[in-house]
């Protein structure tokens, strides 16, 4: 990322967005397997459209999972409980198209090898206390707030689908002010003006007050900051009735908001033998410890694997000229203090737990919940001492 003056934008989506609904279902299926069978192999994909959920992929396990119950429970928890809005947990059709994992892949994974080839990225920086880029953190906090004020009835007219977008102005490479905030939130018809074409001024001001102004720090706002609330005018038809959803289609929302590279693999619905997920978590863990240790103010980690092979084929460290010691030396320290094999990652981050439903919305990184073991900074002091 440049060290000059620029505008940078990140977006987030609510848990009721069709793609996020799919991520949630896929991760809840994974959790249901892991509760009974920690060694279960799961690659679960979900597709939703108006009135229909299709769950497919490959699962190999000793566990019995009631897919129908898991799917309806996830949909209900998100808030699709009223069939009048076009999609509801108790009336949608569910098609189960799950098969078993290919034995050709299993023979490489069973010996501790990676579940697929690929490259995974992790990142950390000093822009926020979470060591995350500020635009994506603000965007996530806005969508979380949308869900909160919907569920606690402070804004009872809101519905589950929604998006946020934050444009931040940087000066000399550092966050300076919020230039633009966009909120697009599904809502009931009772807040429309008589014309039926847009929401009332009162509801717009309520959303600005209870969502935007309660999240964005005042020091980042000024009289030039622009707020766009449902800029098309209204957002009544939403969720799967409006747009089809697919697992894994919000990978930039899930990671760093576009501030750094992404390996390309999605996370949700995959057990930790899939390095798309587990190695991305390890890369974040490493990057966060490097920054916390003081070895760099920014750190991007890339790890790459060959299918069926335990040790990574490459490790790259990029610090954007913020490093205190050579990047090659940082890479040496990483190899010394972090086990980068799939089994080593699973063990060190305790990834065989049923924690994944929680990760499916509001980002996989920058979280403070205890389940997010890859957010620990327990190796920072060791890195600093050894450096």
């Amino acid at each position: 990322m440049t060290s000059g003056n620029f505008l940078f934008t990140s977006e987030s989506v609510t848990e009721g967005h069709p793609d996020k609904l799919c991520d949630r279902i896929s991760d809840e299926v994974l959790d249901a397997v892991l509760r009974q069978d920690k060694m279960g192999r799961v690659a679960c994909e979900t597709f939703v459209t108006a009135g229909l959920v299709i769950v497919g992929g490959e699962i190999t396990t000793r566990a019995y999972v009631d897919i129908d119950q898991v799917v309806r429970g996830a949909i209900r928890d998100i808030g699709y409980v009223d069939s009048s809005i076009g999609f509801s947990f108790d009336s949608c059709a569910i098609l189960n198209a799950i098969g078993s994992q290919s034995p050709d892949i299993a023979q490489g994974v069973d010996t501790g090898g990676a579940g697929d080839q690929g490259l995974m990225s992790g990142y950390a920086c000093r822009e926020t206390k979470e060591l995350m880029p500020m635009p994506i953190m603000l965007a996530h906090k806005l969508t979380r707030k949308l869900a909160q004020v919907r569920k606690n009835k402070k804004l009872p007219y809101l519905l589950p689908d929604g998006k946020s977008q934050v444009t931040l102005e940087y000066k000399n490479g550092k966050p300076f002010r919020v230039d633009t905030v966009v909120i697009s939130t599904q809502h009931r018809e009772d807040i429309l003006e008589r014309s039926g074409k847009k929401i009332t001024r009162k509801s717009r001001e309520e959303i600005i007050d209870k969502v935007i102004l309660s999240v964005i720090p005042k020091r980042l706002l000024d009289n030039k900051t622009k707020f766009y609330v449902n800029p098309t005018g209204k957002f009544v038809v939403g969720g799967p009735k409006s747009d089809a959803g697919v697992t894994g289609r919000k990978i930039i929302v899930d990671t760093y908001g576009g501030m750094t590279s992404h390996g390309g693999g999605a996370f949700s619905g995959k057990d930790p033998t899939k390095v798309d997920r587990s190695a991305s978590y390890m890369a974040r863990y490493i990057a966060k410890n490097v920054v916390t240790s003081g070895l760099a103010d920014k750190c991007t980690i890339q790890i790459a694997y060959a299918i069926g092979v335990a040790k990574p084929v490459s490790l790259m460290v990029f610090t954007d000229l913020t490093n205190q010691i050579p990047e090659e030396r940082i890479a040496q320290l990483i190899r010394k203090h972090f086990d980068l094999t799939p089994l080593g990652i699973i063990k060190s981050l305790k990834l065989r737990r049923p924690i994944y439903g929680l990760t499916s919305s509001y980002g996989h990184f920058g979280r403070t919940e205890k389940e997010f073991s890859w957010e620990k900074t327990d190796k920072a002091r060791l890195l600093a001492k050894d450096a």
Side-chain angles (χ1 to χ4, degrees):
M1 182 57 64
T2 177
S3 59
N5 303 332
F6 56 92
L7 295 175
F8 188 87
T9 301
S10 292
E11 73 161 348
S12 179
V13 297
T14 64
E15 61 201 59
H17 184 281
D19 293 330
K20 278 288 139 201
L21 174 60
C22 291
D23 286 345
R24 174 69 176 273
I25 291 170
S26 295
D27 275 332
E28 291 290 356
V29 171
L30 170 60
D31 283 348
V33 170
L34 292 178
R35 286 188 186 98
Q36 302 178 55
D37 179 9
K38 292 183 178 180
M39 305 305 290
R41 301 275 171 78
V42 179
C44 180
E45 309 287 345
T46 304
F47 168 82
V48 298
T49 188
L52 175 65
V53 181
I54 301 175
V55 183
E58 297 78 44
I59 297 180
T60 302
T61 181
R62 296 178 285 103
Y64 169 74
V65 176
D66 187 334
I67 297 296
D68 188 273
Q69 183 180 50
V70 171
V71 171
R72 295 191 192 280
I75 297 170
R76 181 180 63 246
D77 187 63
I78 286 171
Y80 284 108
V81 295
D82 183 356
S83 59
S84 69
I85 67 172
F87 190 80
S88 179
F89 80 99
D90 57 355
S91 60
C92 65
I94 298 173
L95 174 61
N96 183 347
I98 293 173
S100 60
Q101 185 184 55
S102 163
D104 297 343
I105 297 175
Q107 69 180 11
V109 178
D110 290 342
T111 58
D116 201 354
Q117 71 176 49
L119 50 133
M120 297 80 206
S121 296
Y123 181 71
C125 65
R126 295 193 179 277
E127 289 185 12
T128 64
K129 65 180 181 180
E130 298 90 354
L131 301 186
M132 286 283 289
M134 187 176 288
I136 188 64
M137 289 307 298
L138 292 177
H140 283 324
K141 289 177 180 179
L142 288 169
T143 49
R144 269 186 179 273
K145 181 60 72 170
L146 279 173
Q148 181 183 345
V149 297
R150 168 174 61 89
K151 291 180 176 181
N152 65 19
K153 306 299 184 182
K154 287 187 177 180
L155 296 179
Y157 47 78
L158 295 187
L159 293 172
D161 197 359
K163 289 185 174 183
S164 71
Q165 185 171 285
V166 177
T167 299
L168 209 67
E169 181 181 347
Y170 283 73
K171 283 196 173 182
N172 298 317
K174 296 182 178 181
F176 177 66
R177 59 179 288 274
V178 170
D179 183 80
T180 307
V181 178
V182 182
I183 294 289
S184 294
T185 180
Q186 187 186 11
H187 58 86
R188 298 188 182 278
E189 292 185 343
D190 56 9
I191 63 165
L192 292 174
E193 292 183 342
R194 289 185 177 181
S195 66
K197 293 183 177 180
K198 63 180 181 178
I199 61 175
T200 63
R201 177 180 294 183
K202 177 185 176 183
S203 58
R204 180 181 183 275
E205 291 175 350
E206 284 181 334
I207 294 169
I208 291 173
D209 180 56
K210 296 186 183 299
V211 178
I212 298 176
L213 296 182
S214 69
V215 166
I216 307 294
K218 289 182 179 180
R219 61 183 173 82
L220 296 174
L221 300 173
D222 57 30
N223 57 11
K224 294 183 179 180
T225 302
K226 299 177 285 293
F227 296 150
Y228 293 106
V229 177
N230 285 11
T232 66
K234 66 177 183 177
F235 186 0
V236 173
V237 181
K241 183 179 180 181
S242 172
D243 291 299
V246 181
T247 298
R249 211 158 47 173
K250 287 290 179 286
I251 57 177
I252 299 303
V253 171
D254 285 342
T255 54
Y256 306 99
M259 185 67 79
T260 190
S261 59
H262 189 288
F267 302 154
S268 289
K270 296 178 181 177
D271 75 79
T273 66
K274 280 71 171 175
V275 286
D276 280 345
R277 182 170 219 160
S278 55
S280 295
Y281 291 176
M282 176 56 84
R284 163 64 177 174
Y285 178 48
I286 294 168
K288 192 172 182 183
N289 276 271
V290 168
V291 171
T292 301
S293 72
L295 298 184
D297 290 335
K298 298 179 183 179
C299 183
T300 299
I301 301 293
Q302 187 201 73
I303 314 172
Y305 292 85
I307 188 169
V309 180
K311 291 186 177 181
V313 299
S314 69
L315 168 68
M316 185 275 293
V317 178
F318 175 67
T319 59
D320 201 12
L321 302 178
T322 67
N323 48 308
Q324 300 299 313
I325 63 174
E327 291 172 341
E328 294 84 354
R329 175 58 179 154
I330 296 176
Q332 290 173 355
L333 292 172
I334 291 168
R335 290 185 181 276
K336 178 179 178 181
H337 294 294
F338 297 87
D339 188 341
L340 302 181
T341 65
L343 291 181
I345 293 171
I346 290 169
K347 182 179 179 180
S348 61
L349 298 182
K350 301 177 181 178
L351 296 181
R352 294 201 189 276
R353 298 171 293 154
I355 58 172
Y356 297 103
L358 192 61
T359 71
S360 60
S361 300
Y362 313 117
H364 293 244
F365 309 119
R367 304 284 290 270
T368 58
E369 299 94 325
K370 67 180 187 304
E371 290 84 355
F372 290 72
S373 54
W374 48 94
E375 293 296 315
K376 297 182 299 181
T377 55
D378 55 327
K379 300 235 177 178
R381 186 173 298 179
L382 186 61
L383 290 173
K385 181 179 179 182
D386 208 2

